[in-house]
Amino acid sequence: MRPGNEYTGKEADKFVETTFSRLSALPQSTSVIIRGDSGFATPKFYEMCDTHGVDFLVRLKANSKLGKLAETALVDCPPKYEESKCVYHEFKYQAASWGKARHVIVCSTHTADELVPWNHAFVVTSLASEAPETLFKTYRQRGNAENQIKELKCGFGFDKTDSSTFARNTARALITGIAYNLVQLFKQLFVSEDRRSTISSLRFSLFHIAGRIAWHARRVVIHLASNYVYKNWFSRLMDEVHQLAT
């Protein structure tokens, strides 16, 4: 938790530092790559990755110097106004606050019928031996993580911080995280055929359903609505949960 007027990437290196200690327990043959948005684009973060031997792909915010380097690299391949075009390239770059020059990959795109010649996306990386196009594909896969964060916020209310103290908001965030992890475990164990199901779809099909609970001969009986279309699926899941519990 942090004040709302602080930049989201402040102390990003400290945020992931505990993760590195856990990563050190993995077999030495395991390859680890950290993908991050521009909030992680700090010298301390790069240096910490170097220290722990972890590769990274981090988005850089565009600036005039990066723009000039990208435009210079594209002098010999001007875009055509009526055609869309995408060019991947790379160069060395050192910002004033960096201790050394680092490898930057660039995706330069031109959209047909637009007056702007090029739009550039910059990523700084420790993976200098890989092709820029391959690295950008790897970086863009972080969209899956964005979807998980979106589900955590929209499906579980993780972004609700309406209490007046940090302690209460932190406790609520931790409880929300536990609930999210329990649902993820439930999907891994019982919904393996569609692990991409969101909490919203699970609530609609399995949790928020019409029914009645009754006691019969020391047994709990769940009476489902006759028009419940997922009745067979619900019954199968209940059997699997019961088998796991016993």
Side-chain angles (χ1 to χ4, degrees):
M1 303 298 292
R2 57 178 175 75
N5 59 357
E6 283 190 357
Y7 180 57
T8 55
K10 183 180 180 180
E11 298 183 339
D13 55 309
K14 294 182 180 179
F15 178 77
V16 298
E17 190 170 10
T18 55
T19 304
F20 287 127
S21 60
R22 297 184 181 183
L23 293 176
S24 63
L26 296 174
Q28 293 184 355
S29 59
T30 304
S31 177
V32 178
I33 301 175
I34 291 185
R35 297 185 296 246
D37 59 19
S38 58
F40 291 86
T42 65
K44 290 183 179 180
F45 180 79
Y46 309 147
E47 292 165 3
M48 187 172 60
C49 289
D50 292 340
T51 301
H52 291 273
V54 176
D55 290 313
F56 59 87
L57 289 159
V58 175
R59 183 70 177 264
L60 288 176
K61 290 184 178 180
N63 58 48
S64 58
K65 188 174 180 179
L66 284 170
K68 290 179 181 178
L69 289 171
E71 295 291 339
T72 301
L74 297 172
V75 169
D76 296 330
C77 62
K80 295 182 179 179
Y81 172 76
E82 68 280 3
E83 294 181 4
S84 295
K85 190 173 185 178
C86 180
V87 179
Y88 296 92
H89 50 111
E90 57 195 332
F91 50 72
K92 288 290 185 179
Y93 171 74
Q94 182 175 1
S97 59
W98 297 4
K100 64 178 183 180
R102 295 189 178 272
H103 193 71
V104 173
I105 58 174
V106 190
C107 176
S108 301
T109 57
H110 170 72
T111 304
D113 301 329
E114 283 195 0
L115 295 177
V116 178
W118 295 106
N119 290 300
H120 307 292
F122 304 96
V123 170
V124 60
T125 180
S126 58
L127 300 166
S129 60
E130 298 292 335
E133 183 175 0
T134 301
L135 293 175
F136 260 98
K137 288 180 179 179
T138 302
Y139 175 78
R140 287 167 179 157
Q141 290 173 358
R142 64 183 291 274
N144 294 330
E146 294 285 356
N147 290 333
Q148 293 167 354
I149 294 172
K150 181 179 179 180
E151 181 183 10
L152 181 60
K153 292 168 63 176
C154 299
F156 294 85
F158 187 73
D159 58 341
K160 300 297 182 183
T161 55
D162 45 9
S163 297
S164 58
T165 67
F166 276 113
R168 293 176 182 175
N169 286 322
T170 300
R172 179 173 182 167
L174 291 173
I175 294 171
T176 301
I178 293 172
Y180 175 82
N181 286 334
L182 287 174
V183 171
Q184 296 304 312
L185 178 61
F186 174 82
K187 290 195 291 185
Q188 293 288 328
L189 293 174
F190 305 114
V191 199
S192 57
E193 65 273 13
D194 189 7
R195 294 178 181 176
R196 293 178 296 177
S197 299
T198 64
I199 184 59
S200 297
S201 62
L202 290 175
R203 284 192 181 116
F204 175 77
S205 56
L206 295 175
F207 303 148
H208 290 181
I209 55 178
R212 180 168 57 87
I213 298 177
W215 288 84
H216 293 289
R218 298 183 180 180
R219 296 178 61 189
V220 177
V221 180
I222 301 177
H223 298 276
L224 301 176
S226 58
N227 61 347
Y228 176 43
V229 296
Y230 300 106
K231 183 184 298 184
N232 293 335
W233 186 30
F234 183 89
S235 299
R236 178 176 62 80
L237 288 176
M238 287 295 294
D239 290 339
E240 293 180 359
V241 170
H242 179 72
Q243 292 175 8
L244 183 66
T246 56

